[in-house]
Amino acid sequence: MPAPINSGARLDRLPISRFHWNILGLIGAGAFLDAFDIYLANGALAAMVKTGFTDLRLGSFFISATFMGMMIGAGLSGYLGDRFGRRYSYQANLAIFGLASLAACFAPDIYWLILLRFIMGIGLGAELVVAAGTLCEFVPPATRGRWTALLALIINSGLLGATAVGYWVIPHLGWRYMFAIAGVGAMVAWFLRHRMPESPAGSKRLAGSKRRRPPSPRSSDRSRRASASSRRSRAWSVTRCRPRRSRRCSRAA
């Protein structure tokens, strides 16, 4: 059997190339939209209060729902990434906050918007955790600090992007279009990252969990029944052949 190839060690030895920049672009796009979605809440809430869609008391629940969901998403993202792989985790959280942002455009009242903002927060909190972990598994150890700093620069630029876009969009189009921009951008990034490979460490963990996975009870019962049936058939053939020393039994022996 051929020896397994350690893709992680080979990636660590490779020089920085276009592949690494593509990975940074795909991960950074989702992280930028994550920060954009977080920071758009300030301008959107001010517009909602001004138009009478909500008041300050319910607006505080709207802001709190974001960070409550982010806390839950950040706590679950590590487990899901180790259990199902980094690729599954970052695609799932991007779809969660992207679809919830699109649904927030059509929220009939503030109560629905608070619920959708909580769902958004689950995806928003998970995205930031998985983005840094996935990038570090692709880049060489000698340059991980610099690449993590680049990712942090992209994330923090989401504040500038949200305020700059909101400066024109909210007065002219309304606060709902801010959620539409974040949702459409997240879906575009999800489509672009659809073919992004699994990280080497994630592939290794998934392969190891498959090898260590115990057999299901149904398969164990089936194998026990098959072995018992085989033992009974062998015992029946021996008992049948003992009284008669026929030619067929002697050939079988």
Side-chain angles (χ1 to χ4, degrees):
M1 187 176 68
I5 299 175
N6 191 348
S7 58
R10 295 186 64 183
L11 276 175
D12 290 345
R13 293 192 299 267
L14 288 176
I16 297 300
S17 62
R18 185 179 177 182
F19 169 79
H20 297 94
W21 288 105
N22 289 337
I23 293 294
L24 176 65
L26 293 173
I27 295 175
F32 173 83
L33 290 167
D34 183 285
F36 182 92
D37 207 330
I38 293 172
Y39 294 123
L40 68 81
N42 299 324
L45 180 59
M48 285 188 281
V49 172
K50 183 179 179 180
T51 56
F53 186 81
T54 184
D55 54 15
L56 290 178
R57 183 180 65 86
L58 292 175
S60 63
F61 283 98
F62 170 77
I63 297 295
S64 301
T66 308
F67 296 102
M68 180 64 69
M70 289 179 66
M71 181 182 66
I72 296 174
L76 291 176
S77 61
Y79 169 76
L80 293 177
D82 292 338
R83 179 69 176 82
F84 300 103
R86 296 281 186 259
R87 184 175 182 274
Y88 172 87
S89 182
Y90 63 62
Q91 286 295 86
N93 59 59
L94 192 61
I96 287 172
F97 81 78
L99 293 175
S101 296
L102 291 176
C105 303
F106 308 99
D109 52 41
I110 186 60
Y111 299 101
W112 276 102
L113 190 60
I114 290 172
L115 175 62
L116 291 170
R117 191 61 177 173
F118 173 76
I119 298 173
M120 278 185 243
I122 295 176
L124 294 172
E127 174 69 22
L128 295 178
V129 175
V130 177
T134 306
L135 181 65
C136 289
E137 292 180 359
F138 276 106
V139 297
T143 57
R144 280 176 186 168
R146 280 174 282 177
W147 285 81
T148 307
L150 284 174
L151 180 62
L153 180 63
I154 294 173
I155 294 172
N156 292 326
S157 63
L159 172 60
L160 178 61
T163 52
V165 173
Y167 181 79
W168 187 88
V169 169
I170 293 177
H172 293 84
L173 301 176
W175 58 267
R176 295 179 186 269
Y177 281 84
M178 293 295 292
F179 290 105
I181 292 171
V184 171
M187 290 297 97
V188 171
W190 185 91
F191 179 78
L192 293 176
R193 295 201 310 193
H194 189 61
R195 294 187 178 182
M196 183 175 165
E198 178 62 83
S199 66
S203 302
K204 188 176 180 180
R205 279 191 295 269
L206 289 176
S209 63
K210 288 180 181 180
R211 286 194 299 266
R212 293 191 302 268
R213 185 175 299 170
S216 62
R218 183 176 297 179
S219 62
S220 302
D221 294 341
R222 194 181 297 119
S223 61
R224 282 197 296 269
R225 285 197 298 268
S227 60
S229 173
S230 175
R231 286 194 299 268
R232 284 196 301 269
S233 64
R234 286 198 300 267
W236 180 81
S237 62
V238 169
T239 17
R240 186 180 178 188
C241 291
R242 272 178 185 169
R244 305 178 183 176
R245 283 292 180 182
S246 62
R247 186 175 303 173
R248 182 180 302 174
C249 296
S250 61
R251 285 179 182 176

